[in-house]
Amino acid sequence: MDRRRTLVALVVAALSLLLAMGTVAAQSENRDLIDGLEYQLLYVALPLTLFVLLILVYAAVKFHDNDDPQPTTEDPALEITWTVATALILLFVGLSGYSVLVNPYVSPSQALEGEDTSQDGFDSFADLPDTDDEEVHVRGYQWEWQATYPEANVTTESEIVIPADTDVTFWLTSDDVIHSLFVPDLGVKQDAFPGDYTRARTTVSEPGRYDAVCAEFCGAGHSRMDGSIVVVERDTYDEWLAANEGTITDAPDPG
């Protein structure tokens, strides 16, 4: 009895912890979408796992000393039930994953409806299609990130400044080998290819400094290729661009 109570208490505590974690607000739309999908799948997988585990424990306890086991009888209704249930679960997983994958923040090409979103044939950042987002041109090279803000011709090194509560597009390319801009806290990850241009998109609600790293092995200095996404209020962002037009400068203080 004590063991059963302990097991029940552990299960309740684990569910409470998961529910508490699910209520934490995400800092970006990308992170919110990814976390939402993970919790949806977790809330389906956890009861199924416990159900299967209980059946396994029940069978092991009930039949462990059965000296005359008999084959199970056919039960078409049961077989149809678990087949249909499995199909519904797989359908739910597929639809949940699809709804996130086609979102414009996870698949940025979805946000350019009616335009040629292929990145082949672009010779420079100037050839890229226009968007309604705030745009930042990001160039990766061994072993650093460089960001340029085309409207004011401002450049930063290893710091990418964006305004809060604003749709932002990162256009990425590389000078040498394949790099990958990864911002775990914001759910942003996109490869940068030499001679090609890729797009990442986000909107961040909370000003602050978020760690960014290269997630693609790019040579001896790969481990040192880190940087920051600096999110500031819109007024601070506009003032910073106006004050540093045509220069290479540092990011403003997120506070």
Side-chain angles (χ1 to χ4, degrees):
M1 183 63 70
D2 290 339
R3 291 182 178 179
R4 185 180 301 174
R5 290 178 178 175
T6 302
L7 179 60
V8 172
L10 289 174
V11 172
V12 171
L15 289 173
S16 301
L17 178 61
L18 290 173
L19 290 172
M21 291 172 61
T23 60
V24 176
Q27 292 94 338
S28 72
E29 186 69 23
N30 311 58
R31 186 77 263 172
D32 187 53
L33 288 166
I34 295 170
D35 288 349
L37 176 60
E38 290 179 348
Y39 283 111
Q40 283 183 25
L41 300 182
L42 181 62
Y43 293 150
V44 172
L46 187 58
L48 290 175
T49 302
L50 294 176
F51 177 68
V52 173
L53 181 61
L54 288 174
I55 292 177
L56 179 62
V57 171
Y58 169 79
V61 172
K62 183 175 178 62
F63 302 110
H64 76 283
D65 58 352
N66 189 350
D67 297 328
D68 186 25
Q70 299 295 321
T72 58
T73 58
E74 293 185 3
D75 190 339
L78 180 60
E79 294 175 3
I80 292 173
T81 299
W82 72 47
T83 301
V84 172
T86 302
L88 291 176
I89 292 171
L90 293 176
L91 181 62
F92 170 78
V93 171
L95 291 177
S96 298
Y98 178 78
S99 65
V100 172
L101 289 174
V102 299
N103 188 279
Y105 292 100
V106 178
S107 297
S109 60
Q110 300 292 326
L112 296 176
E113 296 180 1
E115 297 187 29
D116 180 10
T117 59
S118 64
Q119 284 119 21
D120 296 333
F122 295 138
D123 296 325
S124 67
F125 283 118
D127 296 331
L128 297 172
D130 293 330
T131 71
D132 294 329
D133 298 352
E134 185 72 30
E135 295 189 6
V136 182
H137 297 167
V138 181
R139 188 180 300 275
Y141 58 92
Q142 294 173 316
W143 289 276
E144 203 164 305
W145 298 102
Q146 183 186 82
T148 302
Y149 311 83
E151 292 185 3
N153 192 28
V154 174
T155 301
T156 55
E157 299 283 351
S158 296
E159 294 178 315
I160 303 174
V161 185
I162 62 174
D165 297 316
T166 303
D167 288 332
V168 177
T169 282
F170 303 110
W171 288 110
L172 296 101
T173 191
S174 170
D175 285 351
D176 33 53
V177 298
I178 299 176
H179 300 284
S180 183
L181 180 67
F182 180 37
V183 192
D185 288 340
L186 303 183
V188 174
K189 186 177 185 293
Q190 183 58 267
D191 290 344
F193 300 98
D196 205 352
Y197 297 85
T198 54
R199 185 186 186 206
R201 189 171 188 252
T202 190
T203 178
V204 184
S205 58
E206 189 70 26
R209 185 177 292 269
Y210 301 91
D211 292 335
V213 298
C214 178
E216 190 77 31
F217 182 70
C218 54
H222 168 69
S223 62
R224 303 192 304 271
M225 190 171 176
D226 54 10
S228 300
I229 303 293
V230 181
V231 184
V232 297
E233 297 293 350
R234 182 75 213 201
D235 291 344
T236 302
Y237 180 78
D238 291 337
E239 292 171 3
W240 173 74
L241 287 180
N244 295 279
E245 186 170 357
T247 66
I248 299 175
T249 186
D250 296 326
D253 183 357

